[in-house]
Amino acid sequence: MARVISIANQKGGVGKTTTAVNVAASMAATKRRVLLIDLDPQGNATMGSGVDKYDVENTCYELLIEEKPPEQVIITETTGKYHLIAGNSDITAAEIKLMEVFARELRLRNALATIKDNYDYIFIDCPPSLNQLTVNALAASDSVLVPMQCEYYALEGLTALMDTIQKLASVVNPNLKIEGVLRTMYDPRNRLANDVSEQLKRHFGDQVYRTVIPRNVRLAEAPSFGTPAMYYDKSSTGAKAYLALAGEILRRQKQINANALQASKDELRS
């Protein structure tokens, strides 16, 4: 069954969509079955996957509001070699209409329940705000990956975001965990970035990924060509960093599974 990971941060411009597109492509490159859900009305993850958001027939709107089966809204051909549920400005209307429906925070979870066996990983690109769409994403997820820049305001906002996630978890999804904190647009020559990075590691420990996403012009250019960085320039530092992140996520999951298996064996012995 798929592991569902929301990529979320209330602060915009932290590399959230860049992370969603590139980690999905990197996971797909490791032969994992991957679905990317673009839950942001801006539709940037859709465009970055080589799909025209203005020309797409079905989006998250049809999935959440019209309750079309996921099989009818999934796009199987993308430049990142993963499957996609597209997003565009129609999703803004979905957010409004969700206010009128019963069990609105569970619409996405219920929709994905029928296809989770078809994938190894499902990534959800959330909007840069805490609204009904983000609540739906968190209710449907196993964990949250938080991208952030190593800047003072970002650090301040991260504590508030973690608070929000914990409160939401207690209401809509008690099993929700923090997948990890990802440092993005990182410049090691910047003293502030290094200071904030050290504070992050002190406060959040192992939750901070060892992989760091650097500032990289190829990462910035790739979306304008409608493709993830690894298919735009596989030798770029940005493409290599996201491949490393995919590897780290897989290793962490393997360790979690091993620990759970050992705990189960210990319990049986006792």
Side-chain angles (χ1 to χ4, degrees):
M1 186 175 289
R3 182 163 183 78
V4 184
I5 301 175
S6 278
I7 299 172
N9 194 325
Q10 290 162 277
K11 190 176 186 301
V14 296
K16 179 176 55 60
T17 298
T18 298
T19 296
V21 168
N22 285 285
V23 77
S26 297
M27 278 293 188
T30 68
K31 306 302 180 188
R32 266 67 181 186
R33 300 167 300 164
V34 178
L35 171 66
L36 174 61
I37 301 174
D38 188 356
L39 211 55
D40 189 339
Q42 295 177 82
N44 291 335
T46 299
M47 297 292 278
S49 303
V51 176
D52 187 350
K53 67 180 178 181
Y54 301 106
D55 195 38
V56 70
E57 187 175 343
N58 292 308
T59 68
C60 288
Y61 178 90
E62 281 72 24
L63 183 73
L64 296 174
I65 303 305
E66 296 183 4
E67 296 187 283
K68 281 193 176 182
E71 294 83 1
Q72 291 184 23
V73 301
I74 289 172
I75 297 167
T76 57
E77 297 294 324
T78 68
T79 52
K81 311 266 188 340
Y82 47 76
H83 290 183
L84 172 75
I85 298 179
N88 59 21
S89 56
D90 290 351
I91 307 177
T92 304
E95 183 188 351
I96 297 166
K97 288 184 178 292
L98 277 171
M99 301 298 291
E100 305 166 1
V101 302
F102 177 72
R104 54 184 176 266
E105 69 278 0
L106 301 179
R107 278 293 178 104
L108 185 59
R109 181 198 293 180
N110 294 338
L112 295 181
T114 61
I115 59 165
K116 285 181 78 173
D117 285 339
N118 300 342
Y119 297 98
D120 298 306
Y121 282 90
I122 298 174
F123 295 101
I124 307 173
D125 184 25
C126 297
S129 59
L130 187 62
N131 55 26
Q132 277 300 322
L133 297 171
T134 307
V135 170
N136 256 269
L138 298 182
S141 297
D142 298 302
S143 58
V144 187
L145 191 161
V146 184
M148 66 160 287
Q149 286 182 261
C150 288
E151 297 175 351
Y152 175 72
Y153 287 129
L155 183 63
E156 197 175 50
L158 182 61
T159 306
L161 177 64
M162 295 295 192
D163 248 8
T164 302
I165 290 170
Q166 286 176 357
K167 287 173 184 172
L168 271 175
S170 65
V171 177
V172 299
N173 185 358
N175 297 317
L176 186 68
K177 296 178 175 61
I178 301 298
E179 180 73 23
V181 177
L182 177 67
R183 292 162 288 173
T184 60
M185 303 181 220
Y186 189 77
D187 185 351
R189 298 168 299 179
N190 186 314
R191 182 175 174 180
L192 176 61
N194 289 319
D195 289 346
V196 172
S197 179
E198 287 305 313
Q199 287 184 57
L200 267 179
K201 287 189 278 188
R202 280 200 300 272
H203 284 292
F204 297 100
D206 290 342
Q207 287 183 322
V208 180
Y209 287 111
R210 293 175 63 187
T211 303
V212 175
I213 309 301
R215 283 196 179 276
N216 178 240
V217 71
R218 295 296 189 230
L219 278 178
E221 289 173 351
S224 64
F225 290 88
T227 185
M230 67 179 298
Y231 296 111
Y232 176 62
D233 183 356
K234 65 181 179 182
S235 64
S236 66
T237 57
K240 289 177 180 176
Y242 277 110
L243 276 169
L245 175 63
E248 187 170 355
I249 291 171
L250 290 170
R251 287 193 300 275
R252 282 189 178 195
Q253 189 57 45
K254 187 176 180 181
Q255 187 60 54
I256 289 169
N257 292 344
N259 291 344
L261 181 61
Q262 187 58 51
S264 179
K265 287 179 178 177
D266 291 345
E267 190 176 334
L268 286 171
R269 288 195 196 102
S270 61

